[in-house]
Amino acid sequence: MSDHRAAREADAMADATGTGTGTGTGRVIGTDTGTGTGPESADAPGTPTGAAPAPGGHVDPGTAEVRGFWARLGLPGLVDVHTHFMPERVLRKVWRYFDALGPLTGGVEWPITYRADEEERLAVLRGFGARAFTAMIYPHKAGMARWLNDWAVGFARRTPDCLHTATLFPEPGVETYVKEALDAGARVFKAHVQVGAYDPGDPLLDPAWGLLAEAGVPVVVHCGSGPAPGRYTGPGPVAGVLTRHPRLRLVVAHLGMPEYEDFLGLAERYGEVRLDTTMALTDFSERLAPFPRKALPRLAALGDRVLLGTDFPNIPYPYVHQLHALERLGLGDDWLRAVCHDNGARLFGLGTP
């Protein structure tokens, strides 16, 4: 281990075990004991003693394991491109939808592990060592996107470690408010084809895709058919968008679950297409839509265009399980370093901490 890596690991583990400068114990909002419960965490090792205090004093018992993961790799932390922060009343409606096993959940029980107020969720994510994260907002109908974007401006101002996020919907005026969001400093967009039930190839969206391609601003798109298919999910509709906008920095959420191989093909065809790992490869998702092991060499070869995403806080297992799910693929430490930090840091121009 290099001196640099050793220092990173020592610093992170000192924080995680309470021997660093952090103080406070706070209350636990997650359920992570390092091994979790049930089959979702069968791969996870035991939890080191203690957990890193997060700003505000809130502590999650899985923090030590998360910090130990990136410290072992010699990283300065994590870059998580797929986390959800949104107006509180909207987020609580999302949670109620999951609680009720709404149709778009695929009817699968989906307990929210990190159900807490915004301040606690931010403290826990920062305690995990997320250097940068997102506020994946998305509308389910016309007339919402501009309002969500206005909220996101304020959130980005008071949350400097969150990458300023914006969204869009096929409606009159979309080109105008996408330009406004870009002018306001938006660094990433979110599009949810499944929830919004719209065709990404809708002519109303075409000028907006053009603006994003020209600006080089990534757009994370839930375009796969998991956990439940929609009218416009699958690789076909977004492939049409890429035909017209081949320089669009499209990030396929969830590795394109369950059409993994088709979306890998889009990334192989278009140099600006990336994929995020959100919920993919975890025990939860492997039971529903297993990643084909024959495609692992293709995933490895795209190691410079795969980005860590988690869906925090809306995940039905501890945060650390996503990291373990990536590690157990056996693609090596260089691949993990790229996915969990370096690719995102490069894409968003993050400096050295």
Side-chain angles (χ1 to χ4, degrees):
M1 179 185 298
S2 68
D3 290 344
H4 176 71
R5 282 186 59 193
R8 292 277 190 209
E9 187 158 351
D11 289 347
M13 293 311 294
D15 285 344
T17 57
T19 59
T21 59
T23 60
T25 55
R27 75 179 179 89
V28 171
I29 69 167
T31 58
D32 184 13
T33 63
T35 56
T37 57
E40 285 84 355
S41 302
D43 64 302
T47 305
T49 303
H58 306 296
V59 178
D60 181 83
T63 298
E65 261 196 289
V66 175
R67 295 179 70 86
F69 172 88
W70 54 258
R72 181 188 67 78
L73 293 170
L75 294 173
L78 303 170
V79 177
D80 190 338
V81 305
H82 197 136
T83 62
H84 290 282
F85 291 91
M86 56 187 67
E88 286 291 279
R89 65 186 180 90
V90 176
L91 185 58
R92 294 185 188 283
K93 286 182 179 180
V94 171
W95 289 345
R96 287 198 294 272
Y97 189 89
F98 281 113
D99 292 343
L101 305 184
L104 296 183
T105 69
V108 177
E109 187 175 350
W110 200 302
I112 306 298
T113 301
Y114 298 97
R115 191 189 302 254
D117 64 28
E118 182 180 284
E119 179 185 0
E120 280 192 83
R121 282 180 276 116
L122 284 169
V124 169
L125 192 55
R126 288 164 174 160
F128 287 155
R131 286 190 62 205
F133 50 91
T134 58
M136 293 276 105
I137 49 175
Y138 53 88
H140 66 273
K141 60 182 180 181
M144 281 187 69
R146 188 192 291 269
W147 172 72
L148 288 169
N149 289 349
D150 289 345
W151 173 88
V153 170
F155 184 76
R157 285 174 180 164
R158 68 178 185 268
T159 318
D161 42 351
C162 178
L163 298 163
H164 182 171
T165 309
T167 191
L168 73 172
F169 194 86
E171 58 189 335
V174 59
E175 181 181 6
T176 299
Y177 67 69
V178 165
K179 185 177 186 306
E180 290 172 351
L182 290 170
D183 290 344
R187 300 176 70 184
V188 61
F189 275 67
K190 170 64 184 286
H192 207 313
V193 172
Q194 183 213 37
V195 168
Y198 60 80
D199 183 352
D202 190 309
L204 286 168
L205 285 173
D206 208 57
W209 297 135
L211 285 172
L212 293 174
E214 183 178 354
V217 170
V219 54
V220 177
V221 184
H222 185 133
C223 44
S225 300
R231 182 177 178 184
Y232 299 107
T233 58
V238 293
V241 172
L242 289 167
T243 299
R244 295 188 298 280
H245 303 283
R247 295 186 297 113
L248 182 65
R249 288 185 166 179
L250 190 149
V251 180
V252 178
H254 307 280
L255 292 185
M257 183 190 319
E259 296 102 342
Y260 301 107
E261 292 182 274
D262 291 326
F263 284 107
L264 287 172
L266 286 182
E268 290 162 346
R269 192 177 317 151
Y270 296 99
E272 291 293 351
V273 171
R274 295 162 174 83
L275 306 103
D276 82 32
T277 66
T278 306
M279 293 192 71
L281 308 162
T282 63
D283 291 343
F284 181 87
S285 296
E286 285 292 282
R287 289 198 300 267
L288 304 173
F291 185 87
R293 289 312 185 252
K294 66 178 181 178
L296 279 177
R298 299 172 67 190
L299 187 64
L302 288 167
D304 61 338
R305 284 189 282 136
V306 179
L307 304 164
L308 174 67
T310 63
D311 246 350
F312 176 92
N314 304 334
I315 45 177
Y317 45 74
Y319 187 97
V320 72
H321 180 57
Q322 178 75 72
L323 305 177
H324 289 152
L326 298 175
E327 186 174 37
R328 69 186 179 185
L329 293 176
L331 298 182
D333 286 355
D334 287 344
W335 188 86
L336 288 172
R337 277 189 280 271
V339 170
C340 294
H341 178 271
D342 295 349
N343 294 342
R346 183 173 62 252
L347 180 62
F348 293 106
L350 304 182
T352 303

